[in-house]
Amino acid sequence: MSGDRDRRIRWGVLGTAHIGKVAVNPAIQASRNGRLVAIASRAEERARELASATGIPAYFGSYDALLREPGIDAVYVPLPNSEHKPWTIRAAEAGKHVLCEKPLGLSAAECREMDAAAEANGVRLMEAFMYRFHPRIDRIGSLVADGAIGELRAIRSAFSFRLVRPDNIRLRPELGGGALMDVGCYCVNLSRTVVGAEPLEAQAFASWTESGVDGQLAGTLRFPGGVVAQLDCALTIERREMVEVVGTEGSLEMRSAFLPGTGPVAIEIHRGRAPTERIEVEGADQYRSMVEHFADCVLNGKAPRYEAGEAALNLAAIEALYRSARSGGAVTPL
């Protein structure tokens, strides 16, 4: 890789999305192996204002202008879901490594196209599922693998919040909106991660908004061995984040499962009528851990922990849930 003698990659950001402003941009700026050097917006004044307010050295009035800048090694893409594929591919063709917001694409096929573009241009591509970089998620995996709750049988997860503005991009079908795409994708991803396998079939029921996206969706994924994952997600219900992992001898429970903050968190272990066991897990900035992992992969020429092919598998499950919901809840094979 060209550039940084101090082993830091130079980041650019495409867009002034809220998730970038409040979480990922600051994480890049605080990271040990990256520098945020530029931001772009289709509205140049917006880019200028954010750059000035947050100490970003350069700004551009178009995404293409940022991609043409030779002093940028990698880009973060927090654009609407429908824009992930075109701008990831253009970034790859410009020789930039790409960290792209979730879901990586609108379909498994789009993810594969993005993966192929990254491969053809010799750059790294990773989906920005930040929750996977919190130490509590690794601890959950270890507890399940070590038999702490017996044989894994079920997973229950929920992620919801209530939108109050009808013009929110999450309610626009042409931009890839909907509850499952926005927050339910976390539940799908966590279920697949904990089981360590891909689902065989899906079933879902949804309530549709006037705009045509799913405002609320509840679904089930059946995995090999009879493990069942139940999830519910919504853009119309007050905030909920929970995960319960159930085995033959007990269950694990996480509160604030996907956005736990940076302070200490806990895993509760329930075993029948026995007192609840509480495992404390140290706090972490999962956004910073994510961007540092990606930068390490770029600097050392290694594949990310989660590659684009994994994102395609997540979208395959999401697509099956949508097919079921649109057919009135028919059981749908993947």
Side-chain angles (χ1 to χ4, degrees), residues 117-314:
E119 180 71 22
N121 290 280
V123 298
R124 303 297 178 191
L125 170 62
M126 189 177 82
E127 184 178 33
F129 259 131
M130 74 299 172
Y131 88 94
R132 297 185 290 197
F133 291 89
H134 196 286
R136 184 167 61 170
I137 300 302
D138 287 338
R139 190 66 182 277
I140 286 283
S142 296
L143 288 166
V144 172
D146 293 342
I149 55 171
E151 183 183 353
L152 178 65
R153 301 309 304 152
I155 299 167
R156 292 194 308 118
S157 60
F159 198 173
S160 68
F161 69 100
R162 187 161 60 92
L163 289 176
V164 295
R165 291 182 53 179
D167 61 343
N168 191 286
I169 64 170
R170 296 172 178 86
L171 298 176
R172 294 176 59 179
E174 72 275 16
L175 298 182
L180 182 56
M181 291 291 276
D182 191 67
V183 285
C185 61
Y186 287 89
C187 301
V188 173
N189 190 267
L190 182 134
S191 298
R192 293 177 45 255
T193 299
V194 172
V195 177
E198 298 308 315
L200 301 172
E201 57 187 16
Q203 183 177 31
F205 298 90
S207 298
W208 307 96
T209 67
E210 290 184 5
S211 66
V213 304
D214 52 311
Q216 182 178 351
L217 184 142
T220 300
L221 296 170
R222 185 176 71 84
F223 289 86
V227 179
V228 173
Q230 297 175 308
L231 62 99
D232 76 86
C233 56
L235 303 176
T236 57
I237 298 174
E238 285 299 337
R239 187 165 208 95
R240 295 153 58 245
E241 295 175 50
M242 63 78 61
V243 170
E244 183 183 30
V245 181
V246 182
T248 54
E249 298 176 18
S251 63
L252 309 172
E253 187 174 1
M254 291 191 296
R255 303 284 180 180
S256 300
F258 304 106
L259 294 168
T262 58
V265 292
I267 299 169
E268 292 185 353
I269 304 181
H270 304 280
R271 295 187 178 94
R273 297 180 182 275
T276 297
E277 180 182 347
R278 185 179 173 91
I279 298 176
E280 299 290 338
V281 180
E282 63 182 353
D285 181 343
Q286 57 190 9
Y287 293 98
R288 178 173 173 177
S289 296
M290 174 181 67
V291 299
E292 288 184 343
H293 169 77
F294 187 71
D296 278 340
C297 291
V298 171
L299 289 166
N300 297 307
K302 296 181 179 180
R305 180 177 177 184
Y306 304 102
E307 297 188 85
E310 199 284 331
L313 293 171
N314 210 58

Side-chain angles (χ1 to χ4, degrees), residues 7 17 39 45 63 75-76 99 120 139 147 152 159 171 201 213:
R7 298 285 288 171
I39 191 163
E45 181 63 17
Y63 305 147
V75 295
Y76 165 57
L99 176 66
R139 190 66 182 277
L152 178 65
F159 198 173
L171 298 176
E201 57 187 16
V213 304

